[in-house]
Amino acid sequence: MSMSESFTKAHNEYSRIATKSTSLLLNELWTKKSIPDEVWTEHSIELFLQWIASHDSNNRIDMAPLGAGEREGRVASSMVRRLHCGLTHGIGRSGNLCEVQPKALGSSMLNCLANEFALHALKTLGLHSVKGAVVVPLCTGMSMMMCMAHWRKARPRARYVIWSRVDQKSAFKAILAAGYDPIIVDPLREGDSLLTDVPEIRRMMEKHEDEVLCVITTTSAFAPRAPDDLVAVGALCSAHAIPHLVNNAYGLQSTECTRRILECRSSGGRLDAFVQSLDKNFQVPVGGALVAFFKQSHANAFAQYYPGRASCVPARDFVLTLLGQGTRGLQMEYDRQRRLFERMRRKLRTFAEEIGETVYEVEENLISLAMTLCTIPASKQTLFGAVLFSRGITGARVVPSTSKKTTVEGHEFINFGSHTPDQHSGYLTIACGVGMREDELEELFARLVSTHCDGCSRRVVGECPFVDTLDFFVRTLVATCESVGEASISKVIKMKKHLLIHIR
């Protein structure tokens, strides 16, 4: 009996059902164009990618493709071809990022899914009134530059962009790359927080009027910078008919940032577009951004400004990641970030109290924390940061105070890195970004504590790079007295003698 004859009617029926279920899964995704609730298996995702790639002309199997143009999806390296799963044509056409490319139908389908997934993700995270979203194969700063260049025709007399200062170079360089001069508005200090100087922004609007292309505000930044007052700025932009661009780089993971975006819109304020990073918010490789709008027509007009064909890699990675998470997995990641941030804040406050420092009170910032470094001489603070980095703590930043000027593309900043020219005692910033795990948080503080303790121990024997010997002795003695009480004063005396021996 041949093998084909050994297959029974039941076997053939099972084969038909298996084939049909795969087709149903893929067709349902394309029909609904929304993130599935449940996680897809890796096998299902691979089937999806192969199915998508089969729609591009260079991957046809019914005939040998014959390219008679200048590009035609040719790839010299077989390794590179496998890396890109045969999706080599790119997305869009030369004048529109979202236009379907006939010979790259699969890549165009992937791009369409990315934009629909982006809109679904924003709504899942609470931004229900958003109407349009475009996944752009550019970084956050370049995407902001594209927004500004897109508005050039509507404001032909514009020369300036009003920028509420935040000391990250991307947005600032985006202004210059778009061909405009920045009007820098330093934030105001209120308590520990650095807040939007709304009166100064109003004054600059009234002074320059039609010469202002737009106002750029920021939601997510390192503490002690708080999110900008989008409601107040949005109201000013509405009153003066000036576009409002929001740098929401990693703000999707902050309920405070999303609340301010929604409130700006619901209060009647103007907010033309807000830009966020794909890698910071969705844990994909660097290279893409999500530009969101409250009108689909604005998203369409923005997409039509993109010059040239675009890479589909950011869209591909974004879609595959969300298929592997599902809406429930995405929400769980964001819920965990919020939970771990509160734990990080409690642990940093405890650590700061133990070493004689304080944590800045910036209640509006739900991602980044800042701790003073008053007990470390200013000349040694950057060394503390370098030691942390050498011990594998990345992303933490030591920000010393300085009166020196830093020049960025011909523009001078005093105390760059601090968001303000005001002097301070120096501080350490750490952040709890989406994707951080419980064990990482625990290990972070274990290394932070050990680094500080090692520095103090080395100083006692005359090698400490961080703190002054006498200052360390006094703080240690006081802390010991407070912890042991008068009944154990003999222990304090013994400690004093022990420290004095090393000091001498």
Side-chain angles (χ1 to χ4, degrees):
M1 184 173 63
S2 67
M3 186 176 182
S4 61
E5 292 174 329
S6 68
F7 277 85
T8 66
K9 183 177 180 181
H11 293 149
N12 290 327
E13 177 63 14
Y14 182 81
S15 175
R16 187 190 67 79
I17 293 173
T19 302
K20 184 178 179 181
S21 66
T22 300
S23 297
L24 283 174
L25 182 69
L26 299 175
N27 288 327
E28 183 180 22
L29 175 66
W30 178 242
T31 301
K32 291 185 176 179
K33 296 182 179 62
S34 60
I35 307 168
D37 291 335
E38 301 297 337
V39 174
W40 275 28
T41 65
E42 191 166 313
H43 175 65
S44 298
I45 295 174
E46 288 175 351
L47 286 175
F48 161 76
L49 200 53
Q50 293 169 7
W51 177 69
I52 283 287
S54 69
H55 288 72
D56 277 11
S57 61
N58 59 302
N59 298 318
R60 290 184 63 174
I61 58 175
D62 60 326
M63 65 173 68
L66 179 60
E70 79 286 356
R71 180 163 31 206
E72 308 316 309
R74 299 184 181 99
V75 178
S77 168
S78 59
M79 179 181 290
V80 172
R81 180 180 174 82
R82 290 196 307 272
L83 182 64
H84 289 267
C85 309
L87 294 165
T88 59
H89 277 291
I91 56 176
R93 303 191 79 169
S94 59
N96 190 337
L97 186 60
C98 294
E99 189 173 346
V100 175
Q101 174 60 247
K103 58 187 173 186
L105 186 60
S107 298
S108 299
M109 292 166 67
L110 189 62
N111 188 34
C112 176
L113 283 174
N115 293 335
E116 294 294 333
F117 275 24
L119 189 58
H120 189 188
L122 292 174
K123 292 179 182 294
T124 299
L125 298 173
L127 292 160
H128 304 292
S129 55
V130 174
K131 301 300 182 184
V134 181
V135 171
V136 185
L138 298 170
C139 65
T140 304
M142 289 295 289
S143 298
M144 294 177 66
M145 183 270 287
M146 187 173 160
C147 287
M148 287 182 271
H150 164 58
W151 295 330
R152 186 189 311 276
K153 187 181 294 186
R155 300 185 68 78
R157 296 187 63 248
R159 297 171 51 200
Y160 305 107
V161 171
I162 299 174
W163 178 56
S164 182
R165 176 178 169 178
V166 54
D167 286 355
Q168 294 163 318
K169 294 180 182 178
S170 295
F172 184 72
K173 287 191 172 183
I175 297 171
L176 301 175
Y180 294 95
D181 294 326
I183 297 176
I184 304 166
V185 179
D186 291 319
L188 299 173
R189 186 176 295 280
E190 185 175 305
D192 290 337
S193 300
L194 294 172
L195 307 178
T196 316
D197 190 345
V198 176
E200 180 63 12
I201 290 177
R202 178 190 295 111
R203 194 175 73 83
M204 290 296 101
M205 283 184 175
E206 293 172 349
K207 179 179 179 180
H208 296 287
E209 289 291 351
D210 291 345
E211 291 185 313
V212 176
L213 176 82
C214 69
V215 178
I216 294 180
T217 54
T218 302
T219 54
S220 53
F222 290 107
R225 186 67 156 79
D228 274 317
D229 189 343
L230 304 190
V231 173
V233 174
L236 288 176
C237 289
S238 180
H240 291 269
I242 295 175
H244 181 194
L245 177 60
V246 177
N247 177 8
N248 191 47
Y250 47 98
L252 290 181
Q253 53 202 284
S254 166
T255 53
E256 178 64 21
C257 294
T258 55
R259 183 192 68 79
R260 291 186 180 218
I261 290 171
L262 287 174
E263 189 176 345
C264 176
R265 181 66 178 177
S266 63
S267 65
R270 182 163 181 171
L271 199 165
D272 295 76
F274 58 101
V275 183
Q276 34 275 306
S277 163
L278 287 184
D279 57 280
K280 293 183 176 72
N281 294 287
F282 298 101
Q283 301 178 76
V284 297
V286 170
L290 194 172
V291 186
F293 305 86
F294 288 102
K295 291 183 178 180
Q296 181 61 51
S297 60
H298 290 177
N300 296 339
F302 169 80
Q304 291 174 10
Y305 193 79
Y306 191 92
R309 194 90 60 86
S311 169
C312 75
V313 171
R316 179 200 67 194
D317 293 346
F318 180 62
V319 169
L320 299 187
T321 298
L322 290 178
L323 287 176
Q325 284 185 321
T327 54
R328 291 185 181 142
L330 177 65
Q331 191 63 64
M332 284 175 60
E333 288 281 1
Y334 278 71
D335 290 343
R336 180 168 60 181
Q337 184 277 331
R338 290 155 193 162
R339 185 176 68 255
L340 289 185
F341 174 77
E342 292 302 327
R343 185 188 298 182
M344 176 184 279
R345 179 153 55 187
R346 291 194 300 270
K347 291 178 76 69
L348 188 62
R349 284 171 174 169
T350 300
F351 173 63
E353 186 177 354
E354 290 173 351
I355 64 172
E357 302 288 358
T358 58
V359 175
Y360 283 117
E361 295 295 332
V362 189
E363 294 299 324
E364 305 92 340
N365 195 325
L366 301 180
I367 302 172
S368 174
L369 296 165
M371 181 186 75
T372 62
L373 296 177
C374 301
T375 57
I376 300 179
S379 60
K380 304 296 183 182
Q381 289 175 359
T382 54
L383 177 59
F384 179 53
V387 174
L388 290 176
F389 182 80
S390 70
R391 295 189 176 188
I393 300 178
T394 60
R397 299 186 182 187
V398 167
V399 183
S401 188
T402 177
S403 57
K404 295 180 180 179
K405 294 180 180 179
T406 299
T407 302
V408 180
E409 301 297 327
H411 296 265
E412 292 184 340
F413 293 84
I414 298 176
N415 217 9
F416 188 80
S418 305
H419 313 298
T420 174
D422 298 345
Q423 299 300 297
H424 51 82
S425 60
Y427 55 84
L428 169 73
T429 68
I430 57 176
C432 181
V434 67
M436 178 174 263
R437 303 187 309 270
E438 285 84 352
D439 60 312
E440 290 178 318
L441 180 61
E442 296 302 321
E443 182 61 23
L444 166 64
F445 278 91
R447 296 186 193 183
L448 184 60
V449 170
S450 67
T451 300
H452 191 274
C453 288
D454 288 350
C456 291
S457 298
R458 288 166 59 193
R459 189 214 31 75
V460 169
V461 296
E463 301 175 1
C464 176
F466 300 155
V467 291
D468 174 77
T469 300
L470 181 59
D471 177 67
F472 174 78
F473 167 72
V474 172
R475 290 189 296 104
T476 302
L477 190 60
V478 170
T480 305
C481 291
E482 292 176 346
S483 62
V484 302
E486 293 182 5
S488 301
I489 193 66
S490 60
K491 295 182 180 180
V492 177
I493 294 173
K494 289 181 181 179
M495 177 177 284
K496 175 182 176 182
K497 291 179 179 178
H498 179 72
L499 289 173
L500 286 174
I501 289 171
H502 284 294
I503 293 172
R504 290 167 182 167

